[in-house]
Amino acid sequence: AVREKCDDKYERPNDGFGPALSPIRVAVQQRLGTITEEQLREPTFRQKLASDLTLAVNNVLQSNPTLGISAEETYFTGFLVQ
């Protein structure tokens, strides 16, 4: 889940991402595709990944400034490795 920071300082649910949702999914999948098994064992892996994903989401959102939103943080509601 990603919490949005909006220009009006009020948080909105994830549906505010609207037209950026598909590019956000692509960016997240690309980042997840680079994870190695060794990285999964690192104690700070989830924190670093959350930071990386927030950056990836914001890169997509900044490419569409008309949305006027950015991601503050990324939270994991679940994490499964196959």
Side-chain angles (χ1 to χ4, degrees):
V2 177
R3 185 174 67 181
E4 300 177 38
K5 182 178 181 181
C6 306
D7 285 342
D8 59 9
K9 307 295 184 227
Y10 294 101
E11 292 181 23
R12 294 183 289 185
N14 290 350
D15 61 357
F17 289 116
L21 194 54
S22 290
I24 287 172
R25 287 181 178 151
V26 169
V28 168
Q29 289 172 347
Q30 286 175 338
R31 174 58 185 102
L32 293 177
T34 66
I35 297 170
T36 66
E37 189 174 338
E38 292 166 352
Q39 290 172 319
L40 291 171
R41 293 188 179 104
E42 294 174 7
T44 60
F45 168 73
R46 283 191 179 193
Q47 292 85 3
K48 182 173 179 355
L49 180 60
S51 176
D52 290 351
L53 293 177
T54 301
L55 182 62
V57 168
N58 279 327
N59 286 339
V60 171
L61 293 173
Q62 288 172 0
S63 69
N64 190 347
T66 59
L67 292 175
I69 57 175
S70 65
E72 280 186 4
E73 296 177 81
T74 301
Y75 299 97
F76 294 103
T77 55
F79 192 79
L80 176 67
V81 178
Q82 292 182 336

